[in-house]
Every structure is written in structure tokens, then in C-alpha cells.
Amino acid sequence: MATIEAPPRLQVRLHAGPFVNEPPVDFTREENARKMRSAIEKVRGQLGREYDLIIGGKRVKTGEKIRSLNQPSPRRSLASIRKRAKSTWSPR
């Protein structure tokens, strides 16, 4: 089992104040439609990535993985997450 140091966890505050719904977006306007298509392509390029476990601040690569699949198209993997091995866990 290989381990590498995980980067420090950044504390990012995305929102200030109470929750407020975004106003509806008019996708008949070409600029709005273009921005949405661009955002979808960006996310589509991130699909299928593998994610390591992070235990005690260290990245842990185990042999087994849990695959997250696209439900309408199960052949498409959304992501693979390393599965915890018994040797990586200890009760506190």
C-alpha cells in the first residue's frame, strides 16, 4: 500500500450570509446558453477521475475501488474512489 502526503485542506467560504435562490436564467439568450454549454463541457472533462483515500492527512492508495456510475448510462464511470482496506482503519 503506497501513501503520499495530502495537500493541506483549504478552508474556503463560498457564500456569505443566508441562502438565496439564484434568479431564473433565460437559456434562449445565446450568451447564457453558451456559458451553460461551456460549463457542461468543463465538468464532462473531469468525469472518470480516480480519488484516493485521505487518512490522517495522507493519501492512501488501496487496490480496491468503488465506481460511481452514470445511472442512465451505466457503462460511463463518473469517478472511482479507493476502497478502505481493513489495514487502514483502527478504532479510536
mmCIF file of all heavy atoms in Angstrom, residues 56-85:
data_model
loop_
_atom_site.group_PDB
_atom_site.id
_atom_site.type_symbol
_atom_site.label_atom_id
_atom_site.label_comp_id
_atom_site.label_asym_id
_atom_site.label_seq_id
_atom_site.Cartn_x
_atom_site.Cartn_y
_atom_site.Cartn_z
ATOM 1 N N GLY A 56 -5.644 10.386 8.048
ATOM 2 C CA GLY A 56 -4.621 11.039 8.857
ATOM 3 C C GLY A 56 -3.816 12.057 8.067
ATOM 4 O O GLY A 56 -2.635 12.242 8.308
ATOM 5 N N GLY A 57 -4.457 12.709 7.081
ATOM 6 C CA GLY A 57 -3.774 13.724 6.283
ATOM 7 C C GLY A 57 -2.889 13.156 5.186
ATOM 8 O O GLY A 57 -2.221 13.906 4.487
ATOM 9 N N LYS A 58 -2.897 11.843 4.997
ATOM 10 C CA LYS A 58 -2.068 11.226 3.961
ATOM 11 C C LYS A 58 -2.948 10.529 2.934
ATOM 12 O O LYS A 58 -3.943 9.901 3.279
ATOM 13 C CB LYS A 58 -1.113 10.202 4.576
ATOM 14 C CG LYS A 58 -0.099 10.829 5.486
ATOM 15 C CD LYS A 58 0.859 9.790 6.001
ATOM 16 C CE LYS A 58 1.880 10.471 6.920
ATOM 17 N NZ LYS A 58 2.852 9.516 7.418
ATOM 18 N N ARG A 59 -2.561 10.659 1.674
ATOM 19 C CA ARG A 59 -3.268 9.958 0.604
ATOM 20 C C ARG A 59 -2.908 8.484 0.656
ATOM 21 O O ARG A 59 -1.741 8.140 0.766
ATOM 22 C CB ARG A 59 -2.893 10.528 -0.753
ATOM 23 C CG ARG A 59 -3.432 11.918 -0.966
ATOM 24 C CD ARG A 59 -3.163 12.394 -2.386
ATOM 25 N NE ARG A 59 -3.599 13.755 -2.529
ATOM 26 C CZ ARG A 59 -4.839 14.119 -2.813
ATOM 27 N NH1 ARG A 59 -5.761 13.203 -3.013
ATOM 28 N NH2 ARG A 59 -5.169 15.385 -2.906
ATOM 29 N N VAL A 60 -3.913 7.640 0.595
ATOM 30 C CA VAL A 60 -3.701 6.201 0.672
ATOM 31 C C VAL A 60 -4.275 5.564 -0.590
ATOM 32 O O VAL A 60 -5.448 5.775 -0.921
ATOM 33 C CB VAL A 60 -4.385 5.602 1.926
ATOM 34 C CG1 VAL A 60 -4.190 4.101 1.967
ATOM 35 C CG2 VAL A 60 -3.856 6.257 3.189
ATOM 36 N N LYS A 61 -3.453 4.803 -1.291
ATOM 37 C CA LYS A 61 -3.901 4.083 -2.479
ATOM 38 C C LYS A 61 -4.074 2.623 -2.115
ATOM 39 O O LYS A 61 -3.123 1.960 -1.743
ATOM 40 C CB LYS A 61 -2.876 4.218 -3.606
ATOM 41 C CG LYS A 61 -2.765 5.618 -4.134
ATOM 42 C CD LYS A 61 -1.854 5.658 -5.330
ATOM 43 C CE LYS A 61 -1.716 7.072 -5.809
ATOM 44 N NZ LYS A 61 -2.214 7.284 -7.130
ATOM 45 N N THR A 62 -5.301 2.148 -2.216
ATOM 46 C CA THR A 62 -5.580 0.739 -1.953
ATOM 47 C C THR A 62 -5.873 0.064 -3.288
ATOM 48 O O THR A 62 -6.077 0.728 -4.305
ATOM 49 C CB THR A 62 -6.789 0.592 -1.013
ATOM 50 O OG1 THR A 62 -7.920 1.204 -1.640
ATOM 51 C CG2 THR A 62 -6.533 1.248 0.329
ATOM 52 N N GLY A 63 -5.917 -1.250 -3.281
ATOM 53 C CA GLY A 63 -6.151 -1.982 -4.518
ATOM 54 C C GLY A 63 -7.584 -1.918 -5.013
ATOM 55 O O GLY A 63 -7.833 -1.811 -6.201
ATOM 56 N N GLU A 64 -8.526 -1.967 -4.087
ATOM 57 C CA GLU A 64 -9.930 -1.992 -4.492
ATOM 58 C C GLU A 64 -10.498 -0.593 -4.640
ATOM 59 O O GLU A 64 -10.090 0.330 -3.953
ATOM 60 C CB GLU A 64 -10.755 -2.764 -3.468
ATOM 61 C CG GLU A 64 -10.435 -4.250 -3.426
ATOM 62 C CD GLU A 64 -11.394 -4.969 -2.516
ATOM 63 O OE1 GLU A 64 -12.607 -4.977 -2.837
ATOM 64 O OE2 GLU A 64 -10.937 -5.486 -1.498
ATOM 65 N N LYS A 65 -11.474 -0.463 -5.547
ATOM 66 C CA LYS A 65 -12.113 0.827 -5.800
ATOM 67 C C LYS A 65 -13.627 0.667 -5.803
ATOM 68 O O LYS A 65 -14.149 -0.402 -6.080
ATOM 69 C CB LYS A 65 -11.684 1.375 -7.163
ATOM 70 C CG LYS A 65 -10.217 1.624 -7.286
ATOM 71 C CD LYS A 65 -9.892 2.025 -8.696
ATOM 72 C CE LYS A 65 -8.393 1.997 -8.899
ATOM 73 N NZ LYS A 65 -8.039 2.173 -10.289
ATOM 74 N N ILE A 66 -14.301 1.747 -5.505
ATOM 75 C CA ILE A 66 -15.746 1.838 -5.641
ATOM 76 C C ILE A 66 -15.994 2.740 -6.838
ATOM 77 O O ILE A 66 -15.483 3.860 -6.888
ATOM 78 C CB ILE A 66 -16.396 2.436 -4.380
ATOM 79 C CG1 ILE A 66 -16.103 1.578 -3.165
ATOM 80 C CG2 ILE A 66 -17.900 2.637 -4.591
ATOM 81 C CD1 ILE A 66 -16.492 2.220 -1.850
ATOM 82 N N ARG A 67 -16.739 2.246 -7.806
ATOM 83 C CA ARG A 67 -17.016 3.049 -9.001
ATOM 84 C C ARG A 67 -18.379 3.709 -8.888
ATOM 85 O O ARG A 67 -19.365 3.068 -8.551
ATOM 86 C CB ARG A 67 -16.962 2.177 -10.248
ATOM 87 C CG ARG A 67 -15.553 1.777 -10.601
ATOM 88 C CD ARG A 67 -15.480 0.985 -11.881
ATOM 89 N NE ARG A 67 -16.232 1.623 -12.932
ATOM 90 C CZ ARG A 67 -16.656 0.996 -14.014
ATOM 91 N NH1 ARG A 67 -16.406 -0.273 -14.190
ATOM 92 N NH2 ARG A 67 -17.355 1.629 -14.937
ATOM 93 N N SER A 68 -18.426 4.997 -9.172
ATOM 94 C CA SER A 68 -19.677 5.733 -9.238
ATOM 95 C C SER A 68 -20.068 5.783 -10.717
ATOM 96 O O SER A 68 -19.300 6.279 -11.539
ATOM 97 C CB SER A 68 -19.493 7.141 -8.679
ATOM 98 O OG SER A 68 -20.686 7.884 -8.826
ATOM 99 N N LEU A 69 -21.232 5.234 -11.044
ATOM 100 C CA LEU A 69 -21.641 5.124 -12.436
ATOM 101 C C LEU A 69 -22.756 6.098 -12.783
ATOM 102 O O LEU A 69 -23.559 6.477 -11.940
ATOM 103 C CB LEU A 69 -22.115 3.697 -12.724
ATOM 104 C CG LEU A 69 -21.100 2.601 -12.456
ATOM 105 C CD1 LEU A 69 -21.737 1.236 -12.690
ATOM 106 C CD2 LEU A 69 -19.867 2.776 -13.315
ATOM 107 N N ASN A 70 -22.801 6.467 -14.046
ATOM 108 C CA ASN A 70 -23.873 7.283 -14.579
ATOM 109 C C ASN A 70 -25.108 6.385 -14.662
ATOM 110 O O ASN A 70 -25.132 5.416 -15.422
ATOM 111 C CB ASN A 70 -23.464 7.791 -15.961
ATOM 112 C CG ASN A 70 -24.507 8.670 -16.598
ATOM 113 O OD1 ASN A 70 -25.637 8.738 -16.157
ATOM 114 N ND2 ASN A 70 -24.116 9.351 -17.665
ATOM 115 N N GLN A 71 -26.138 6.660 -13.884
ATOM 116 C CA GLN A 71 -27.302 5.775 -13.812
ATOM 117 C C GLN A 71 -27.997 5.571 -15.157
ATOM 118 O O GLN A 71 -28.334 4.444 -15.498
ATOM 119 C CB GLN A 71 -28.286 6.280 -12.755
ATOM 120 C CG GLN A 71 -27.736 6.182 -11.346
ATOM 121 C CD GLN A 71 -27.377 4.765 -10.960
ATOM 122 O OE1 GLN A 71 -28.152 3.843 -11.172
ATOM 123 N NE2 GLN A 71 -26.191 4.574 -10.416
ATOM 124 N N PRO A 72 -28.228 6.610 -15.963
ATOM 125 C CA PRO A 72 -28.878 6.367 -17.259
ATOM 126 C C PRO A 72 -27.970 5.622 -18.245
ATOM 127 O O PRO A 72 -28.442 5.012 -19.179
ATOM 128 C CB PRO A 72 -29.200 7.764 -17.789
ATOM 129 C CG PRO A 72 -29.041 8.682 -16.652
ATOM 130 C CD PRO A 72 -28.113 8.027 -15.679
ATOM 131 N N SER A 73 -26.658 5.697 -18.033
ATOM 132 C CA SER A 73 -25.705 5.050 -18.934
ATOM 133 C C SER A 73 -24.618 4.384 -18.089
ATOM 134 O O SER A 73 -23.512 4.914 -17.945
ATOM 135 C CB SER A 73 -25.103 6.099 -19.874
ATOM 136 O OG SER A 73 -24.215 5.511 -20.762
ATOM 137 N N PRO A 74 -24.909 3.218 -17.482
ATOM 138 C CA PRO A 74 -24.003 2.597 -16.506
ATOM 139 C C PRO A 74 -22.617 2.243 -17.039
ATOM 140 O O PRO A 74 -21.722 1.975 -16.261
ATOM 141 C CB PRO A 74 -24.750 1.337 -16.063
ATOM 142 C CG PRO A 74 -26.152 1.521 -16.480
ATOM 143 C CD PRO A 74 -26.150 2.469 -17.625
ATOM 144 N N ARG A 75 -22.425 2.250 -18.336
ATOM 145 C CA ARG A 75 -21.086 1.983 -18.876
ATOM 146 C C ARG A 75 -20.144 3.158 -18.643
ATOM 147 O O ARG A 75 -18.937 3.006 -18.747
ATOM 148 C CB ARG A 75 -21.164 1.687 -20.366
ATOM 149 C CG ARG A 75 -21.883 0.409 -20.673
ATOM 150 C CD ARG A 75 -21.883 0.144 -22.145
ATOM 151 N NE ARG A 75 -22.819 -0.929 -22.448
ATOM 152 C CZ ARG A 75 -23.227 -1.230 -23.649
ATOM 153 N NH1 ARG A 75 -22.769 -0.556 -24.682
ATOM 154 N NH2 ARG A 75 -24.079 -2.206 -23.826
ATOM 155 N N ARG A 76 -20.715 4.315 -18.346
ATOM 156 C CA ARG A 76 -19.905 5.519 -18.137
ATOM 157 C C ARG A 76 -19.617 5.701 -16.656
ATOM 158 O O ARG A 76 -20.513 5.820 -15.845
ATOM 159 C CB ARG A 76 -20.627 6.750 -18.679
ATOM 160 C CG ARG A 76 -20.858 6.655 -20.176
ATOM 161 C CD ARG A 76 -21.525 7.853 -20.701
ATOM 162 N NE ARG A 76 -20.561 8.946 -20.735
ATOM 163 C CZ ARG A 76 -20.869 10.185 -21.068
ATOM 164 N NH1 ARG A 76 -22.101 10.493 -21.372
ATOM 165 N NH2 ARG A 76 -19.958 11.122 -21.076
ATOM 166 N N SER A 77 -18.336 5.743 -16.337
ATOM 167 C CA SER A 77 -17.907 5.937 -14.952
ATOM 168 C C SER A 77 -17.840 7.426 -14.645
ATOM 169 O O SER A 77 -17.260 8.197 -15.402
ATOM 170 C CB SER A 77 -16.523 5.299 -14.748
ATOM 171 O OG SER A 77 -16.040 5.600 -13.467
ATOM 172 N N LEU A 78 -18.436 7.826 -13.541
ATOM 173 C CA LEU A 78 -18.343 9.219 -13.104
ATOM 174 C C LEU A 78 -17.060 9.436 -12.320
ATOM 175 O O LEU A 78 -16.409 10.465 -12.450
ATOM 176 C CB LEU A 78 -19.557 9.593 -12.261
ATOM 177 C CG LEU A 78 -20.912 9.455 -12.949
ATOM 178 C CD1 LEU A 78 -22.033 9.790 -11.984
ATOM 179 C CD2 LEU A 78 -20.974 10.325 -14.189
ATOM 180 N N ALA A 79 -16.705 8.444 -11.489
ATOM 181 C CA ALA A 79 -15.488 8.540 -10.679
ATOM 182 C C ALA A 79 -15.188 7.181 -10.068
ATOM 183 O O ALA A 79 -16.071 6.331 -9.958
ATOM 184 C CB ALA A 79 -15.652 9.580 -9.569
ATOM 185 N N SER A 80 -13.941 6.990 -9.664
ATOM 186 C CA SER A 80 -13.527 5.807 -8.908
ATOM 187 C C SER A 80 -12.915 6.291 -7.604
ATOM 188 O O SER A 80 -12.062 7.172 -7.612
ATOM 189 C CB SER A 80 -12.486 4.997 -9.682
ATOM 190 O OG SER A 80 -13.057 4.453 -10.838
ATOM 191 N N ILE A 81 -13.371 5.724 -6.515
ATOM 192 C CA ILE A 81 -12.890 6.105 -5.192
ATOM 193 C C ILE A 81 -12.222 4.884 -4.578
ATOM 194 O O ILE A 81 -12.764 3.777 -4.644
ATOM 195 C CB ILE A 81 -14.056 6.588 -4.295
ATOM 196 C CG1 ILE A 81 -14.746 7.802 -4.935
ATOM 197 C CG2 ILE A 81 -13.568 6.952 -2.912
ATOM 198 C CD1 ILE A 81 -15.950 7.464 -5.720
ATOM 199 N N ARG A 82 -11.052 5.092 -4.006
ATOM 200 C CA ARG A 82 -10.345 3.968 -3.376
ATOM 201 C C ARG A 82 -11.163 3.423 -2.224
ATOM 202 O O ARG A 82 -11.741 4.169 -1.443
ATOM 203 C CB ARG A 82 -8.975 4.415 -2.862
ATOM 204 C CG ARG A 82 -8.055 4.931 -3.918
ATOM 205 C CD ARG A 82 -7.504 3.812 -4.714
ATOM 206 N NE ARG A 82 -6.643 4.354 -5.779
ATOM 207 C CZ ARG A 82 -5.858 3.625 -6.512
ATOM 208 N NH1 ARG A 82 -5.799 2.338 -6.337
ATOM 209 N NH2 ARG A 82 -5.128 4.174 -7.440
ATOM 210 N N LYS A 83 -11.211 2.110 -2.124
ATOM 211 C CA LYS A 83 -11.958 1.451 -1.060
ATOM 212 C C LYS A 83 -11.031 1.234 0.131
ATOM 213 O O LYS A 83 -9.881 0.851 -0.029
ATOM 214 C CB LYS A 83 -12.480 0.112 -1.565
ATOM 215 C CG LYS A 83 -13.503 -0.535 -0.699
ATOM 216 C CD LYS A 83 -14.064 -1.758 -1.414
ATOM 217 C CE LYS A 83 -15.138 -2.400 -0.594
ATOM 218 N NZ LYS A 83 -15.667 -3.582 -1.276
ATOM 219 N N ARG A 84 -11.531 1.492 1.312
ATOM 220 C CA ARG A 84 -10.735 1.342 2.518
ATOM 221 C C ARG A 84 -10.432 -0.129 2.763
ATOM 222 O O ARG A 84 -11.306 -0.984 2.721
ATOM 223 C CB ARG A 84 -11.500 1.897 3.722
ATOM 224 C CG ARG A 84 -10.737 1.740 5.022
ATOM 225 C CD ARG A 84 -11.614 2.016 6.217
ATOM 226 N NE ARG A 84 -12.774 1.178 6.322
ATOM 227 C CZ ARG A 84 -12.784 -0.046 6.841
ATOM 228 N NH1 ARG A 84 -11.679 -0.611 7.256
ATOM 229 N NH2 ARG A 84 -13.906 -0.729 6.925
ATOM 230 N N ALA A 85 -9.168 -0.410 3.012
ATOM 231 C CA ALA A 85 -8.756 -1.768 3.401
ATOM 232 C C ALA A 85 -8.813 -1.857 4.926
ATOM 233 O O ALA A 85 -8.628 -0.870 5.615
ATOM 234 C CB ALA A 85 -7.355 -2.047 2.891
#
